[in-house]
Amino acid sequence: ALSKYQNRIEKLLEENPDFVQPARSRNEVLSWVKSGLRDFSVSRANNPWGIPVPKDNSQTIYVWFDALLGYISSLLEPGDEPTIENAIARGWPAKVHIIGKDILRFHAIYWPAMLMSAGLELPEVVFGHGFLTKDGLKMGKSLGNTLDPFELVGRYGADATRYFFLRSIEFGSDGDYSEERFITTVNADLANNLGNLLNRSMNLIRKNCDLMYGLDSSEIDHPFRETASQLARLVPRNLERLHFMGACQPIVEYLGQANQYIAEEEPWVLFKQGERERAVRCLCTCLEVVRVSAVLLKPVTPMLSDRIYQSLGL
């Protein structure tokens, strides 16, 4: 009886505003609940497919009732005795359910009510993600405009693909993919902003210092130290909140500031003028910005970050 849990689910949503995310999804779910929850049957009559109800072959288990239970039953390992206690011990409750917004009702209303009825803990968060279009159009076989993720990764790499979608589309909202936008974003942020800063700085040090310089970056009171400290707090917090765009964008801005800094300092000119210490300080500062950025981007671009670590001798 879903209606039995009307008040408990409404209280859950009001007292735990982060239970359903993002906010627009929470508001939609709250509207459904306040309009009144209606009971549903856990079985269907004369359905030719599905799991039969024990002792009544004319009935099959309602597909969503069966599917949602899979979140717990699937935790069992081969050889485990199939008990609810064993399944829960394998990793329930879930920290977050990430689901399509079109099945939000089942995960944010039906599933919590089922768990409440069984006396089991609820997941911490139910997050409804948006839909993806391509070149402004809904994807479909009839249009022949489907996006093959394997092909995309094969062509551009997993890091670039992951970065584009997390950086360019607010997680939880609908988003659009175009190859032109993909290439522009990846080139601007990863190749130009990050890659060029690394290569330019390393080449200047290699040329003028033979990659040897007696300067510890931790001792430099450079203008980006405070920003790095702020990012070290902000980025993990936004990643934890699934605010991926909010994690990537500040790193891009941080790198942009460093590129402006090296352009203004002109260490290549400073070397020619004999101001070696100032030039090295500038380059060491830029490489520290690259290092910090690689660390912060590691969850999004792990392979790229590893290559940067190697380039820096870390």
Side-chain angles (χ1 to χ4, degrees), residues 22 24-25 28 99-102 127-134 136-139 164-177 181 245:
R24 66 178 69 85
S25 295
E28 187 175 15
I99 49 94
K101 65 179 182 179
D102 54 331
F127 196 102
H129 66 72
F131 295 150
L132 184 66
T133 57
K134 183 180 179 184
L137 299 174
K138 183 178 179 180
M139 286 186 278
F164 171 78
F165 286 108
L166 297 184
R167 158 78 170 87
S168 303
I169 299 173
E170 183 182 358
F171 197 59
S173 300
D174 293 342
D176 184 67
Y177 168 88
R181 185 179 174 215
M245 183 182 288

Side-chain angles (χ1 to χ4, degrees), residues 121-165:
E121 291 187 66
L122 275 57
E124 290 184 24
V125 174
V126 175
F127 196 102
H129 66 72
F131 295 150
L132 184 66
T133 57
K134 183 180 179 184
D135 298 317
L137 299 174
K138 183 178 179 180
M139 286 186 278
K141 292 183 179 179
S142 60
L143 292 176
N145 68 337
T146 55
L147 185 62
D148 186 337
F150 295 102
E151 180 182 334
L152 196 62
V153 170
R155 185 184 307 169
Y156 298 110
D159 277 5
T161 302
R162 189 185 304 106
Y163 178 82
F164 171 78
F165 286 108

Side-chain angles (χ1 to χ4, degrees), residues 68-309:
L68 291 166
L69 289 175
Y71 284 122
I72 293 180
S73 62
S74 63
L75 295 173
L76 289 167
E77 295 287 345
D80 285 349
E81 183 182 357
T83 65
I84 190 68
E85 291 79 14
N86 287 341
I88 289 173
R90 289 289 186 182
W92 189 263
K95 185 174 180 62
V96 59
H97 277 321
I98 298 178
I99 49 94
K101 65 179 182 179
D102 54 331
I103 53 175
L104 189 61
R105 182 189 299 267
F106 304 105
H107 288 79
I109 298 177
Y110 287 29
W111 184 222
M114 290 166 60
L115 292 168
M116 289 174 181
S117 179
L120 300 178
E121 291 187 66
L122 275 57
E124 290 184 24
V125 174
V126 175
F127 196 102
H129 66 72
F131 295 150
L132 184 66
T133 57
K134 183 180 179 184
D135 298 317
L137 299 174
K138 183 178 179 180
M139 286 186 278
K141 292 183 179 179
S142 60
L143 292 176
N145 68 337
T146 55
L147 185 62
D148 186 337
F150 295 102
E151 180 182 334
L152 196 62
V153 170
R155 185 184 307 169
Y156 298 110
D159 277 5
T161 302
R162 189 185 304 106
Y163 178 82
F164 171 78
F165 286 108
L166 297 184
R167 158 78 170 87
S168 303
I169 299 173
E170 183 182 358
F171 197 59
S173 300
D174 293 342
D176 184 67
Y177 168 88
S178 74
E179 187 169 37
E180 179 181 2
R181 185 179 174 215
F182 181 101
I183 293 173
T184 298
T185 299
V186 171
N187 282 346
D189 293 357
L190 301 184
N192 297 336
N193 223 7
L194 177 56
N196 283 352
L197 182 63
L198 171 62
N199 293 331
R200 176 191 274 184
S201 301
M202 291 294 289
N203 287 338
L204 283 169
I205 288 178
R206 184 181 295 110
K207 178 181 179 181
N208 296 278
C209 307
D210 195 27
L211 285 180
M212 299 295 293
Y213 49 96
L215 193 62
D216 186 345
S217 62
S218 65
E219 298 175 357
I220 302 176
D221 187 21
H222 61 74
F224 303 102
R225 183 171 301 283
E226 179 57 31
T227 304
S229 298
Q230 293 172 0
L231 289 177
R233 296 187 295 270
L234 175 65
V235 172
R237 184 166 65 246
N238 281 341
L239 289 173
E240 181 74 15
R241 295 170 52 220
L242 305 181
H243 186 18
F244 302 119
M245 183 182 288
C248 294
Q249 179 61 30
I251 303 173
V252 174
E253 294 172 357
Y254 180 56
L255 287 164
Q257 293 167 4
N259 275 291
Q260 183 178 353
Y261 170 68
I262 194 174
E264 292 173 350
E265 284 291 290
E266 298 183 321
W268 50 91
V269 174
L270 295 175
F271 278 122
K272 292 179 180 178
Q273 295 176 344
E275 297 187 58
R276 186 177 185 278
E277 183 177 345
R278 181 178 171 185
V280 170
R281 185 176 297 274
C282 169
L283 295 174
C284 195
T285 294
C286 291
L287 290 176
E288 176 66 357
V289 169
V290 169
R291 184 193 69 82
V292 170
S293 299
V295 171
L296 295 174
L297 283 171
K298 175 83 174 188
V300 181
T301 58
M303 290 179 284
L304 174 62
S305 293
D306 285 343
R307 291 197 299 272
I308 291 174
Y309 297 163

